[in-house]
Amino acid sequence: MSTVSAVEADSLIAELVATPEGRADPYPRYAALREIAPVHRSGFGFWALTRYEDCQQLLRHQGVGKDFSGAASSLGLSPEQQAAQDRFRNDHSNMLTSDPPDHTRLRGLASRAFTPRTLETLRSRIVALVDELLDGFGEGEVEVMDALAFPLPVTVIGEMLGVPAEDRPGLRPLVRAVTAVLELAITPEALAEATAADISLGEYFGALVKERRSHPRDDLLTKLIEAEDQGDQLTEGELISTAILLFAAGFETTTHLIGNGLLALLRHPDQLARLRADRTLVRGAVEELLRFDSPV
Ligand code: HEM
């Protein structure tokens, strides 16, 4: 690649991760990156891959792990902010930010509680919940994010984990704030909010774990507390971190899949018509909507 393309590629990446325009409309920039530098070692210290097949291969490669150290140091964070962000990203108490052997152990324990059978028993409850939410739509315009995209997944994961219904809406902004640390570039304000939100979530789930220890129920949190693998159990810190991860991952993503997916279908009425005419296409359509406009 020429020096000019490398500089151009870096400037596209900076736009993508650190400007409101790039964040609001990433796709033309992804297309330009694919054109000039599909596999690019950026001047920011990380590699950027923009082709689907390359990402598929890399993400599934055993030799690839999660090392965020210094990833965004050139993107305008002070050393203190960088350190605060690294603390989140190098947290080895949950699966999302750890590699084997930590990851293997955490996943092994979590999967004792989170089995396909548990999920299958949820199916009828989810169908009833969707019907209930759709019945509430009424006449005229509806704000789909509030009427369906958020309440559906948060109710499902909330009921599974055992987070009381009345607490769920209040946790939404905290989860929002804390997921900002997944971004490559984060403003000092957002980082401060994320740190405060992380503390509040930790306190909330810490109290919930404590309560559930003394009053076990038929829920995922109780199963996580009880999960054991060859004498090994999740520590208190790991339990809290895993509960937060499951709760947050359980709705942020799905909420955006419903929102982005519906918008994509409304913008492509021919595809919507195909889907309505042939429900066997639904499974493939969900996969394609995940690829077409990523919820995360
Ligand atoms: C549209 C829906 C979803 C999308 C797009 C999505 C996306 C992702 C992505 C990109 C990762 C990171 C994978 C990696 O680092 O290798 C991840 C991990 C994870 N997600 Fe989701 N997710 C979705 C729904 C859910 C739901 C509903 C739950 C829980 C109820 C969940 C729980 C998790 C957990 C526990 C991890 C960490 C797994 C591990 O490291 O082994 N996700 N998800």
Side-chain angles (χ1 to χ4, degrees), residues 59 66 95-96 98 103 107 114 157 160 245-246 249-251 253-254 257 290 294-296:
L59 288 168
K66 300 155 184 166
M95 288 167 270
L96 196 63
S98 51
H103 182 275
R107 181 142 180 152
F114 209 93
I157 191 67
M160 274 183 86
L245 170 64
L246 284 172
F251 76 85
T253 47
T254 325
L257 169 63
L290 283 166
S294 168
V296 207

Side-chain angles (χ1 to χ4, degrees), residues 73-143:
S73 52
S74 338
L75 288 166
L77 289 195
S78 71
E80 293 76 31
Q81 290 159 351
Q82 181 75 48
Q85 198 175 24
D86 283 350
R87 228 181 351 89
F88 277 105
R89 290 171 166 178
N90 297 330
D91 174 8
H92 291 181
S93 60
N94 74 61
M95 288 167 270
L96 196 63
T97 39
S98 51
D99 276 330
D102 295 328
H103 182 275
T104 318
R105 178 181 158 264
L106 292 165
R107 181 142 180 152
L109 283 163
S111 58
R112 304 240 147 200
F114 209 93
T115 61
R117 204 178 53 84
T118 328
L119 295 179
E120 194 51 41
T121 57
L122 278 175
R123 190 180 290 276
S124 57
R125 171 69 187 126
I126 296 174
V127 170
L129 197 57
V130 173
D131 284 343
E132 208 177 286
L133 290 167
L134 293 182
D135 285 347
F137 272 25
E139 299 289 312
E141 280 191 13
V142 60
E143 175 49 55

Side-chain angles (χ1 to χ4, degrees), residues 151-165:
L152 175 63
V154 83
T155 305
V156 174
I157 191 67
E159 287 181 359
M160 274 183 86
L161 260 178
V163 174

